[in-house]
Amino acid sequence: MNVRYLEIFNAVMQTGSTLAAAELLRISQPAVSNQLRQLESQVGLQLFDRRKRRLVPTEEAQLLYERSQNIFSQLQHLDAFSEQLRRRDTGRLNFVCSPSMTSGCVPRAIHRFHEDKPKVTLKIDMPSNERIVSMIVGEMTEFGLTITPLEHPSIQSRVLAKLPLFCVMPNNDAMTAQTSVRPSDLVGCKLISYPRHSEVGRIVGAALPEAERNAAPFAEVRYTSMALRMAEATGAIALVDADTALSANPALVTVRPFETDQFLPLVATHLKDRKLSLIAESFIEDYVRAAHAET
């Protein structure tokens, strides 16, 4: 059954005439009359008795009208739901982020996003970077947020922000008197490092003085969030990104900017040639990027 014919039938039943229905729908009266006849032909029923230029609904028309109200109610709900989708006010946000992103702009973005869009269902996980790749490729999640890009032929990444490096040190360290820390200041220090084969390890390693690049570290960890907690627990020194540094405990450590051209990129990754949903795009651009800009 043609929904447009049904809409015209509904207007005639509500207003009582083809002229009033045409005014309501903002179309011509002949168009209303013509499409009413096509509806009758389609359903195989006479819906109106035409008496002296008046339309009198038949019993079948009354029954059809009553049943059609459920359809129009559902269409109105569907139209309202579509509008919510266009405004990104409802739906699902399904993404993953690396454990290093448990502090900083991502939690702030989640908090603000949920406040603005409480009807959006959130599904979030924090697996390893290798698992993030497999989840994106396997379409178990829509996108991933990581520090440093991920590698796979089926995915593509965009850099949302360049996160500067910060030095985390115990509160009794002499470097706390400085406004910033130079690479040469770290020579001979008890350092927490990252695996050399990892992108974080490569970037942080390039920021260190040459004497420390090949030296045995005090400890080696995979994630900047773990490096921060290790520094707080042991009194060792760690280089972390700006977002991670925000969650440092000032009772245990001091944080100072690290003088280097190196940075850790905040990256959003999704399937190549797959357009992100409006909700996902809004979260990345309007909330994650905005939250970082405030740091």
Side-chain angles (χ1 to χ4, degrees):
M1 183 178 292
N2 188 302
V3 175
R4 180 57 175 170
Y5 295 166
L6 199 58
E7 183 183 17
I8 288 173
F9 166 73
N10 194 62
V12 171
M13 293 293 290
Q14 287 178 347
T15 61
S17 72
T18 55
L19 178 60
E23 292 175 351
L24 178 65
L25 298 174
R26 297 182 180 180
I27 59 176
S28 69
Q29 184 179 10
V32 171
S33 299
N34 180 54
Q35 292 187 51
L36 272 183
R37 291 190 185 93
Q38 291 187 52
L39 175 61
E40 288 178 319
S41 175
Q42 191 176 69
V43 299
L45 295 168
Q46 182 179 344
L47 299 176
F48 296 94
D49 289 328
R50 291 161 175 84
R51 303 174 186 172
K52 296 180 180 180
R53 302 178 67 181
R54 289 179 58 244
L55 291 181
V56 180
T58 63
E59 180 62 22
E60 291 77 14
Q62 293 289 355
L63 293 173
L64 182 61
Y65 176 69
E66 291 172 8
R67 184 60 62 90
S68 71
Q69 297 315 291
N70 291 330
I71 296 173
F72 279 100
S73 177
Q74 291 174 7
L75 286 174
Q76 288 172 354
H77 286 307
L78 185 61
D79 188 53
F81 183 71
S82 298
E83 179 61 25
Q84 288 180 337
L85 289 177
R86 284 192 292 272
R87 295 200 313 263
R88 305 160 179 84
D89 287 340
T90 192
R92 289 186 298 271
L93 178 64
N94 178 8
F95 76 97
V96 291
C97 62
S98 68
S100 289
M101 309 204 69
T102 54
S103 59
C105 67
V106 172
R108 292 198 307 277
I110 293 171
H111 175 72
R112 291 177 182 176
F113 182 85
H114 181 63
E115 280 191 332
D116 290 347
K117 305 176 187 297
K119 293 183 180 180
V120 174
T121 302
L122 301 176
K123 184 177 180 182
I124 307 165
D125 198 2
M126 290 178 288
S128 66
N129 284 3
E130 293 80 7
R131 178 61 178 161
I132 288 175
V133 171
S134 66
M135 289 181 73
I136 293 173
V137 173
E139 299 186 41
M140 292 179 283
T141 191
E142 189 170 5
F143 66 93
L145 296 173
T146 57
I147 294 176
T148 71
L150 303 176
E151 299 294 332
H152 192 279
S154 298
I155 62 178
Q156 62 185 41
S157 300
R158 70 176 106 157
V159 176
L160 303 179
K162 297 178 179 181
L163 306 177
L165 294 178
F166 281 75
C167 184
V168 181
M169 66 198 79
N171 288 335
N172 60 0
D173 193 287
M175 289 187 293
T176 60
Q178 303 171 196
T179 57
S180 62
V181 175
R182 300 178 298 273
S184 59
D185 294 330
L186 299 184
V187 174
C189 290
K190 186 167 69 171
L191 296 178
I192 299 167
S193 71
Y194 305 94
R196 293 179 185 176
H197 68 271
S198 70
E199 190 67 9
V200 174
R202 183 192 67 77
I203 293 170
V204 171
L208 291 172
E210 188 171 353
E212 296 299 323
R213 292 176 190 172
N214 298 316
F218 164 72
E220 183 178 279
V221 298
R222 291 191 65 184
Y223 302 108
T224 56
S225 55
M226 187 62 198
L228 173 61
R229 300 307 166 213
M230 183 73 75
E232 291 174 340
T234 65
I237 291 174
L239 295 181
V240 301
D241 61 276
D243 270 9
T244 299
L246 288 173
S247 65
N249 185 344
L252 300 175
V253 293
T254 298
V255 177
R256 292 287 183 267
F258 189 66
E259 297 179 10
T260 179
D261 292 333
Q262 299 294 323
F263 61 87
L264 291 174
L266 171 59
V267 178
T269 303
H270 59 90
L271 273 177
K272 191 177 293 183
D273 302 323
R274 176 71 59 86
K275 185 177 176 62
L276 288 173
S277 66
L278 294 176
I279 287 177
E281 194 66 48
S282 173
F283 178 75
I284 291 171
E285 293 298 327
D286 301 336
Y287 290 86
V288 176
R289 198 188 289 272
H292 169 72
E294 296 174 2
T295 58

